[in-house]
Amino acid sequence: MAGEGEVVRGNKKVVLRGYVTGSPKESDMEVVTSSTVRLTVPEGSTAVILKNLYLSCDPYMRLRMTKHDEKNPNFVPDLVPGEVITGYGVSKVVDSGHPDYKPGNLVWGSGIGWEEYSVITNPQGLLKINHPEVPLSYYTGLLGTPGLTAYVGFYEVSSPKKGEYVFVSAASGAVGQLVGQFAKLLGCYVVGSAGSDEKVNLLKSKFGFDNAFNYKKEQDLNAALKRCFPEGIDIYFENVGGAMLDAVLLNMRAHGRIAVCGMISQYNLQKHEGVHNLMLTIQKRIRIEGFAVLDYGSSYGKFEQMVLRDLKEGKITYVEDVAEGLENGPAALVGLFAGRNVGKQLVVVARE
Amino acid sequence: MAGEGEVVRGNKKVVLRGYVTGSPKESDMEVVTSSTVRLTVPEGSTAVILKNLYLSCDPYMRLRMTKHDEKNPNFVPDLVPGEVITGYGVSKVVDSGHPDYKPGNLVWGSGIGWEEYSVITNPQGLLKINHPEVPLSYYTGLLGTPGLTAYVGFYEVSSPKKGEYVFVSAASGAVGQLVGQFAKLLGCYVVGSAGSDEKVNLLKSKFGFDNAFNYKKEQDLNAALKRCFPEGIDIYFENVGGAMLDAVLLNMRAHGRIAVCGMISQYNLQKHEGVHNLMLTIQKRIRIEGFAVLDYGSSYGKFEQMVLRDLKEGKITYVEDVAEGLENGPAALVGLFAGRNVGKQLVVVARE
């Protein structure tokens, strides 16, 4: 497929300047315009060349900006200072030496660079998009990893039952908004917390949460939870950690379940906050279970089928926060940790 | 069964003076000798009168010495100041108005007073002892609630597999010594922690632990665990909480399980220590599950059968720390929290 008349063109990219301590800043990243890329695959290579369309901003990316070592390992590899940031995205195949991918194919997956074009030498992880009738950007959210995370975290980790009391933190985010909707569809009572009145309104008016509160306006998280859950909480979908987890433990019901999806309030701290109420796991027989969507690839088919159906039937909705252009990528990513995004944060590099 | 010629006699008892703050002291309890008891059941009553033989000293009893309320509930009722302390014990039926119990029956269960004789108005919870060939005191430990706790916490909560790496804290205690032996019988690698060199020796020489350490002599619990578990820990049987739990989290393997049985290091604290490493539940997909033996009564038959068989075959051993006489009850109970007991702490009131 690679020919003689190779096309070489500029390739704008976002590079990590160095490992990050504390809250990430835009200046921890740099938009580089001097890079070039060859748009044809060399003879004999099984690489694919992607034109990147949508890039996903995910909280776990912050963890990859910290230097880890054997004593303090991470479950995904650290990013490399001076090199392009990578993550989940949606792309179009421009050229391919791999039999499974053809030019024009739309794909999504991880390992996609924050750049206009990416050369993927080991493309097995790229999934083909078979439903172009759905907005392509949904493969960074609703139909991508956040969606699958919500699905497995709720249905497979939380053992939910109709009528149970469900609390979701960071509830308007990429994952939380779906957990709440899944729980409502199952017949649960659902309350969400978020960091602005705008998000709280969204939870109630758009996603159908039974109740919601702005955690930044609450003097006492325990009291806020008691107000929203006079009967207590059966399932907590944990996205934030720290003080919220402590308050939730006080309000869990017997045999409650806490699915630990993320702890975004802790990612920028060098020493994580202490959680003081773990003894209640005994009195209340609570199960706390951390999970990583990476382990649940085999659930994708079932999940996709369900979401596509619910989407067509108008039972599910999804809110995105779209940053235009790679230049705005660093601000969009950094904004996640200040809660500036409303809904799933993504970056548009190009629209096909 | 109740007759005219009723026997009334003195009834020595241990009374709680008042609710306890901080570490319990012997002076929080009082041995009262002025009390009397009638040894026959009144006509028409379904009560039973017990002569108490062995009383169990259990860490959860400390929790019953704190005043709880709606905001801070407990899973067992608080003790009442001025009244006799109650707990698990082994007793002989002296008189009975209940059709299921006859004078001379040996029973064990909860709600038994720390006194020579107890009148039990609602005896349904008392279990008959059908194996008098076993030392009766074992029904406070090996064949009682601590034994069942070890059994369900290990086999039912921890999902153990042959060859896994198992860590037990408070490992020479009533529960820990059995967890370690169960794990060895299943073919696991087992390490225990305890608070004295004597106990550490016991773990290795008597209970067959592969390794053990004295946590009081370790500068760095994380380093101690790394030394004992270079490959990491699959199962942590949690009896202590606090700093040990934090160190364990650093050393858990992927998909590890933590069965939370108790957190004795926290029971005397008014504010519990913070646990800082919970974010590792995500990276390592850890499940932390609190359990209470109260929920597992239906497992008793299976458990008893297994332990009686292992005991007869010499595969299991059990170490008790026996305090003689009710007068020594308060010191024995208080000693649990200083780790003065070696093995299961119990109090002998009478030997039949």
Side-chain angles (χ1 to χ4, degrees):
Chain A
M1 238 164 279
E4 292 294 312
E6 292 170 345
V7 182
V8 176
R9 54 154 288 164
N11 191 24
K12 203 186 297 176
K13 54 181 66 183
V14 181
V15 162
L16 180 70
R17 277 195 160 131
Y19 288 117
V20 175
T21 308
S23 294
K25 301 177 298 298
E26 287 184 55
S27 59
D28 292 322
M29 291 164 270
E30 187 176 14
V31 182
V32 175
T33 55
S34 57
S35 168
T36 58
V37 64
R38 196 173 64 168
L39 295 188
T40 48
V41 171
E43 198 88 41
S45 161
T46 55
V48 303
I49 294 171
L50 302 179
K51 180 183 183 191
N52 298 324
L53 307 178
Y54 300 99
L55 300 174
S56 181
C57 296
D58 294 300
Y60 86 93
M61 295 170 78
R62 168 65 188 87
L63 302 176
R64 301 185 65 200
M65 295 180 172
T66 297
K67 176 87 185 123
H68 291 81
D69 54 30
E70 270 183 33
K71 281 194 168 175
N72 176 28
N74 197 3
F75 63 131
V76 280
D78 296 341
L79 292 169
V80 181
E83 296 196 7
V84 67
I85 288 170
T86 59
Y88 284 91
V90 174
S91 308
K92 190 173 192 168
V93 176
V94 171
D95 194 17
S96 170
H98 194 286
D100 294 348
Y101 305 92
K102 302 285 170 233
N105 283 169
L106 293 164
V107 295
W108 75 277
S110 64
I112 291 175
W114 279 41
E115 57 197 348
E116 291 174 285
Y117 295 88
S118 291
V119 179
I120 309 288
T121 51
N122 188 0
Q124 272 87 346
L126 293 174
L127 298 164
K128 272 195 257 180
I129 292 177
N130 301 316
H131 297 275
E133 76 277 14
V134 172
L136 280 180
S137 60
Y138 277 7
Y139 284 87
T140 67
L142 175 60
L143 285 160
T145 306
L148 183 60
T149 300
Y151 177 83
V152 301
F154 183 63
Y155 288 108
E156 302 194 16
V157 180
S158 304
S159 315
K161 287 189 288 291
K162 185 177 171 175
E164 285 194 319
Y165 298 95
V166 176
F167 177 55
V168 187
S169 55
S172 70
V175 175
Q177 58 175 297
L178 277 174
V179 174
Q181 293 182 79
F182 290 156
K184 283 308 301 172
L185 286 172
L186 188 68
C188 297
Y189 180 85
V190 186
V191 178
S193 65
S196 75
D197 291 347
E198 179 191 4
K199 294 180 190 179
V200 165
N201 288 337
L202 198 65
L203 292 175
K204 292 196 275 193
S205 63
K206 180 124 186 139
F207 301 128
F209 282 59
D210 295 288
N211 206 344
F213 64 90
N214 178 348
Y215 74 90
K216 289 182 181 167
K217 282 192 168 172
E218 299 289 342
Q219 295 288 320
D220 179 344
L221 294 174
N222 179 24
L225 290 169
K226 284 218 180 335
R227 190 178 71 227
C228 294
F229 291 102
E231 311 280 337
I233 300 167
D234 292 299
I235 292 173
Y236 173 43
F237 197 98
E238 165 68 299
N239 285 316
V240 301
M244 186 66 92
L245 178 53
D246 250 343
V248 166
L249 284 164
L250 293 173
N251 288 281
M252 289 298 285
R253 305 180 84 193
H255 301 284
R257 288 132 272 149
I258 298 178
V260 188
C261 174
M263 292 192 171
I264 196 171
S265 75
Q266 307 297 300
Y267 295 174
N268 298 325
L269 304 178
Q270 289 191 270
K271 181 169 168 86
H272 295 162
E273 284 179 84
V275 172
H276 297 269
N277 295 326
L278 286 171
M279 219 171 78
L280 292 168
T281 57
I282 309 170
Q283 278 103 316
K284 301 182 175 185
R285 293 80 155 163
I286 297 168
R287 187 180 82 206
I288 301 174
E289 189 161 354
F291 71 100
V293 67
L294 300 172
D295 301 338
Y296 293 90
S298 62
S299 297
Y300 186 79
K302 208 167 39 166
F303 150 75
E304 188 189 32
Q305 198 177 10
M306 186 192 86
V307 167
L308 286 170
R309 185 199 64 208
D310 288 347
L311 198 59
K312 269 177 201 145
E313 295 177 1
K315 289 182 179 164
I316 271 196
T317 187
Y318 199 66
V319 170
E320 297 177 331
D321 195 328
V322 180
E324 293 289 337
L326 271 175
E327 294 80 357
N328 292 312
L333 185 54
V334 164
L336 280 183
F337 300 94
R340 277 200 291 271
N341 58 308
V342 177
K344 166 66 196 175
Q345 181 69 58
L346 60 103
V347 178
V348 185
V349 185
R351 285 189 168 78
E352 291 218 39
Chain B
M1 237 166 275
E4 290 295 312
E6 290 170 347
V7 182
V8 176
R9 55 153 289 165
N11 192 24
K12 203 187 296 174
K13 55 180 63 182
V14 181
V15 162
L16 181 69
R17 278 194 160 133
Y19 288 116
V20 174
T21 309
S23 295
K25 302 175 298 297
E26 286 184 55
S27 59
D28 292 322
M29 291 164 269
E30 187 175 15
V31 182
V32 174
T33 56
S34 56
S35 168
T36 58
V37 63
R38 197 172 65 167
L39 294 188
T40 48
V41 171
E43 198 88 40
S45 160
T46 55
V48 303
I49 295 170
L50 302 178
K51 180 184 183 190
N52 298 325
L53 307 177
Y54 301 99
L55 301 174
S56 181
C57 296
D58 294 300
Y60 85 93
M61 296 170 79
R62 168 65 187 87
L63 301 176
R64 300 186 65 200
M65 295 180 170
T66 297
K67 177 87 185 124
H68 290 82
D69 54 31
E70 269 183 34
K71 280 194 167 174
N72 175 27
N74 197 4
F75 64 131
V76 281
D78 296 341
L79 292 169
V80 181
E83 295 195 9
V84 68
I85 287 170
T86 59
Y88 284 91
V90 174
S91 308
K92 189 173 192 169
V93 176
V94 171
D95 194 16
S96 170
H98 194 288
D100 294 349
Y101 304 91
K102 303 284 170 233
N105 283 168
L106 293 165
V107 295
W108 76 276
S110 64
I112 291 175
W114 279 40
E115 57 197 347
E116 291 174 285
Y117 295 89
S118 291
V119 179
I120 308 289
T121 51
N122 189 358
Q124 272 87 344
L126 294 174
L127 299 165
K128 272 195 256 181
I129 292 177
N130 301 315
H131 296 276
E133 76 277 14
V134 172
L136 280 180
S137 61
Y138 277 7
Y139 283 87
T140 68
L142 175 60
L143 285 160
T145 305
L148 183 60
T149 300
Y151 177 82
V152 301
F154 183 64
Y155 287 108
E156 303 194 17
V157 181
S158 304
S159 316
K161 288 189 288 292
K162 185 178 171 174
E164 286 195 318
Y165 298 95
V166 176
F167 177 55
V168 187
S169 55
S172 71
V175 175
Q177 58 176 294
L178 278 173
V179 174
Q181 292 181 79
F182 290 156
K184 282 308 301 173
L185 286 172
L186 187 68
C188 297
Y189 180 84
V190 186
V191 177
S193 65
S196 76
D197 291 347
E198 179 191 4
K199 294 179 190 180
V200 165
N201 288 336
L202 198 65
L203 292 175
K204 293 195 273 193
S205 63
K206 181 127 185 138
F207 301 127
F209 282 59
D210 295 289
N211 205 346
F213 64 88
N214 177 350
Y215 74 90
K216 291 182 180 166
K217 282 191 168 171
E218 298 290 341
Q219 295 288 320
D220 178 344
L221 292 174
N222 179 24
L225 290 169
K226 284 220 181 333
R227 190 178 71 227
C228 294
F229 291 103
E231 311 280 336
I233 299 167
D234 292 299
I235 292 173
Y236 173 43
F237 197 99
E238 165 66 299
N239 285 315
V240 302
M244 186 66 92
L245 177 54
D246 249 343
V248 165
L249 284 164
L250 293 173
N251 288 281
M252 289 299 284
R253 305 181 84 192
H255 302 283
R257 289 133 271 150
I258 298 179
V260 188
C261 174
M263 292 193 172
I264 195 171
S265 74
Q266 307 297 301
Y267 295 174
N268 299 324
L269 304 178
Q270 289 190 270
K271 182 167 167 86
H272 295 163
E273 284 178 84
V275 172
H276 298 268
N277 295 326
L278 286 171
M279 219 171 77
L280 291 169
T281 57
I282 309 170
Q283 279 102 318
K284 300 182 175 186
R285 292 80 154 163
I286 296 170
R287 187 179 81 206
I288 301 176
E289 189 162 353
F291 72 99
V293 68
L294 301 171
D295 300 338
Y296 293 89
S298 62
S299 297
Y300 187 78
K302 206 167 42 165
F303 151 74
E304 188 188 32
Q305 198 177 11
M306 186 193 85
V307 167
L308 285 170
R309 185 200 65 208
D310 287 348
L311 198 59
K312 269 179 200 144
E313 294 177 1
K315 289 181 179 165
I316 270 196
T317 187
Y318 199 66
V319 170
E320 298 177 331
D321 195 329
V322 179
E324 293 289 336
L326 271 174
E327 295 80 359
N328 292 311
L333 185 54
V334 164
L336 281 183
F337 301 93
R340 277 199 292 273
N341 58 309
V342 178
K344 166 66 196 175
Q345 181 68 58
L346 60 103
V347 178
V348 184
V349 186
R351 286 189 167 79
E352 292 219 37

